[in-house]
Amino acid sequence: MSGKRQKTQCSLALEPRDRGEASVVVSPRAEPAMAKPAPESPAVTEQLMEVVCDGENLRSAWKRVRRNQGGPGVDGMSIDDAKDYLREHWPGIRFQLLDGTYQPQPVKRVEIPKPDGGIRKLGVPCVVDRLIQQAVLQVLQEQWDPTFSEHSYGFRPGRSAHQAVAQAQRYVAEGYDVVVDLDLEKFFDRVNHDGLMARVAARVSDKRVLKLIRAFLTAGVMEDGLLLPVDEGTPQGGPLSPLLSNLVLDDLDRELTRRGHRFCRYADDCNIYVRSRRAGERVLASVSRFLTTKLRLKVNETKSAVARPEERKFLGFSISNDGGERRIAPKALDAFKTRIRERTRRT
């Protein structure tokens, strides 16, 4: 994202190109570019919503939303329907965003099976809200991501699950061959809104952006025709949720770093590597207390454990203790074989 953003005074028009991409038509009436804020600044700018509504940022956000596809939200509007809708209604939506009065629609509840059993509940925003969330994400991620821990790998530009597993292998090869495998119980559903917004407000001073993020958190969930209120959690399914979850768990990263631990975190999957089982039991107890008392999160005691890395699964892999060799975890391999059987004939 370019640092030379303009505060445009025009509407968004989505027009098809030859390749079916979205285009943003920007009026030539534009004010001088804003300076790019420093990543470490606690309150980056009072004019952040103007940056979110910038034509270049919106064009990039729309391309990402189209590329990701995804089903309609509660309004039943598809990607193609939204293109026509935005061409007509964007001036009014933009005015509401800049005025601080925009109200997102509730998310649609969608249930998908987990690879290892159970159901994961997603909240799918409508396409227009996905566009706005993506536009907010792009601005905030550019400013926040450089401040996050080097041990955090999930939902960050240029980082991946394979990098996290490779780092875990190095820890094991160095002799840290006992893992504290932390499982946070329903993390995305239990994030405290007040605590989260306090963290956002420490980095953002534009009250319109703060109000918009709070509105996305509390918009509610539509399930079986009923609107259910939401007073905690960041609904999985929207573009903004992963960034907000990383913001909450950045406190965990900082605490583990302060204690000198060797760890890898991918979203809510966190593994800490120590030299002995006794040390692991001590770390599990103390970190669990920190998560409960400081972050108001609950550790799943039945799924968390202190064990040899080859006995646990981290992002679909297990790591052997004799040299840190990476192997596909048995459950992940079984799930893969099941998908192959479902998609191919017996011949």
Side-chain angles (χ1 to χ4, degrees):
M1 184 172 63
S2 170
K4 296 182 179 180
R5 298 198 173 280
Q6 295 179 333
K7 295 186 286 184
T8 58
Q9 305 296 321
C10 60
S11 64
L12 172 73
L14 299 173
E15 298 178 349
R17 292 182 178 179
D18 293 339
R19 293 174 295 176
E21 296 178 346
S23 173
V24 177
V25 178
V26 181
S27 164
R29 293 169 48 203
E31 298 179 11
M34 297 175 62
K36 182 177 177 181
E40 297 293 340
S41 176
V44 288
T45 175
E46 292 284 355
Q47 302 297 319
L48 199 62
M49 189 63 82
E50 278 75 10
V51 183
V52 171
C53 292
D54 173 70
E56 178 188 348
N57 186 53
L58 289 164
R59 180 168 60 249
S60 175
W62 175 251
K63 288 181 179 179
R64 176 59 64 91
V65 169
R66 287 202 63 156
R67 186 161 61 245
N68 291 344
Q69 290 299 311
V74 296
D75 58 2
M77 191 182 300
S78 67
I79 296 286
D80 291 334
D81 295 335
K83 179 181 66 178
D84 296 330
Y85 178 86
L86 286 165
R87 182 182 292 116
E88 180 179 355
H89 295 281
W90 178 252
I93 296 172
R94 182 180 184 276
F95 175 83
Q96 292 175 17
L97 290 170
L98 295 176
D99 192 49
T101 57
Y102 183 80
Q103 183 59 47
Q105 296 192 57
V107 298
K108 182 173 72 173
R109 174 70 76 210
V110 175
E111 296 183 349
I112 61 172
K114 292 183 178 180
D116 54 352
I119 296 293
R120 174 176 285 112
K121 293 186 176 182
L122 302 181
V124 179
C126 66
V127 177
V128 175
D129 286 341
R130 292 209 294 271
L131 170 66
I132 296 171
Q133 283 197 36
Q134 181 65 36
V136 174
L137 166 68
Q138 290 172 176
V139 173
L140 296 184
Q141 188 169 60
E142 184 181 48
Q143 297 169 354
W144 295 0
D145 192 78
T147 71
F148 289 157
S149 169
E150 63 177 317
H151 304 288
S152 168
Y153 294 89
F155 307 111
R156 297 183 60 191
R159 289 176 167 258
S160 68
H162 285 285
Q163 290 175 345
V165 176
Q167 180 58 64
Q169 286 179 271
R170 288 192 284 271
Y171 289 146
V172 175
E174 291 169 1
Y176 296 87
D177 53 3
V178 173
V179 61
V180 180
D181 187 355
L182 286 169
D183 185 277
L184 298 178
E185 188 171 308
K186 297 182 178 178
F187 165 71
F188 288 93
D189 298 329
R190 291 186 171 169
V191 172
N192 179 269
H193 286 176
D194 290 337
L196 170 57
M197 290 308 303
R199 291 172 174 83
V200 177
R203 294 169 177 254
V204 173
S205 59
D206 192 325
K207 297 187 185 305
R208 297 166 299 176
V209 175
L210 296 175
K211 184 178 179 181
L212 179 63
I213 293 175
R214 170 81 73 168
F216 277 124
L217 293 173
T218 59
V221 176
M222 189 71 73
E223 187 171 5
D224 297 327
L226 298 176
L227 177 59
L228 306 177
V230 174
D231 55 11
E232 63 179 357
T234 60
Q236 294 184 76
L240 200 52
S241 181
L243 178 66
L244 296 178
S245 68
N246 272 335
L247 180 61
V248 172
L249 291 175
D250 186 56
D251 283 14
L252 172 62
D253 298 341
R254 292 176 184 274
E255 179 65 14
L256 295 178
T257 299
R258 186 186 69 81
R259 298 183 184 187
H261 289 311
R262 289 158 177 80
F263 69 97
C264 298
R265 183 178 65 79
Y266 191 96
D268 57 337
D269 287 335
C270 184
N271 279 5
I272 306 169
Y273 295 86
V274 296
R275 290 189 181 275
S276 69
R277 190 175 293 270
R278 182 177 179 180
E281 297 290 353
R282 186 171 62 250
V283 169
L284 177 59
S286 63
V287 173
S288 295
R289 283 195 302 271
F290 173 82
L291 288 165
T292 302
T293 59
K294 300 295 184 180
L295 302 188
R296 303 186 191 180
L297 298 172
K298 185 177 181 180
V299 176
N300 190 325
E301 296 181 0
T302 60
K303 292 186 177 181
S304 299
V306 176
R308 310 287 276 181
E310 59 192 10
E311 299 170 350
R312 305 296 293 180
K313 180 181 72 171
F314 181 49
L315 303 175
F317 292 92
S318 60
I319 301 172
S320 67
N321 284 77
D322 51 348
E325 180 183 352
R326 182 191 319 185
R327 300 168 182 168
I328 300 176
K331 287 186 178 180
L333 186 58
D334 290 342
F336 172 73
K337 290 179 178 179
T338 299
R339 289 198 299 272
I340 292 297
R341 293 189 189 99
E342 291 172 350
R343 299 182 183 187
T344 60
R345 296 186 296 178
R346 292 178 64 85
T347 55

